[in-house]
Amino acid sequence: MRRRTIAAASVAAVAISLGGFASSASADMHATDVPKVSNSFGPGGEVHFDVEPANLVISEYSTGRGIEWEMWGPEVAVGTGDLYGTWVEGEYYEDVTIILFAPDDGYFTEYAVTGDFEAPQYPQDKTRGFIEYPRPL
């Protein structure tokens, strides 16, 4: 499988481009105080709720793998990993930046993926959107 290498954006530049999110978790914050993300990566695609997952189903058409989170705070989470998806056409992009933001009721509700790659052709393949997974009852 041929890989495409992508230059990762810095956390500060990404945070500014998404509306100035620059906060990070304070030293006295506990893991339960930061938002989680709905994630269906794994056997059977069952939804679970994670903090700093190494693999994340970002949307119906895109998955991040090997994600290393540089920041997971109360307003934004920023990590770098590989981007797989139907629109990548059998390849994947290395070192893309994955951003989760817009927390609501303890869960991140939006995502963005940035990097030096061509934008998807089709409207359903997005690099920014809403996390469409259910939350626990």
Side-chain angles (χ1 to χ4, degrees), residues 42-102:
E46 293 180 23
V47 175
H48 47 280
F49 306 94
D50 294 327
V51 173
E52 298 189 27
N55 301 302
L56 174 65
V57 174
I58 301 165
S59 72
E60 183 179 355
Y61 302 99
S62 302
T63 300
R65 294 186 188 171
I67 305 167
E68 294 184 19
W69 296 97
E70 300 159 27
M71 176 190 329
W72 193 285
E75 299 295 322
V76 66
V78 180
T80 303
D82 298 335
L83 176 65
Y84 292 77
T86 56
W87 60 277
V88 180
E89 298 179 8
E91 299 177 359
Y92 64 96
Y93 296 112
E94 288 184 319
D95 300 325
V96 301
T97 300
I98 299 166
I99 307 104
L100 306 176
F101 57 102

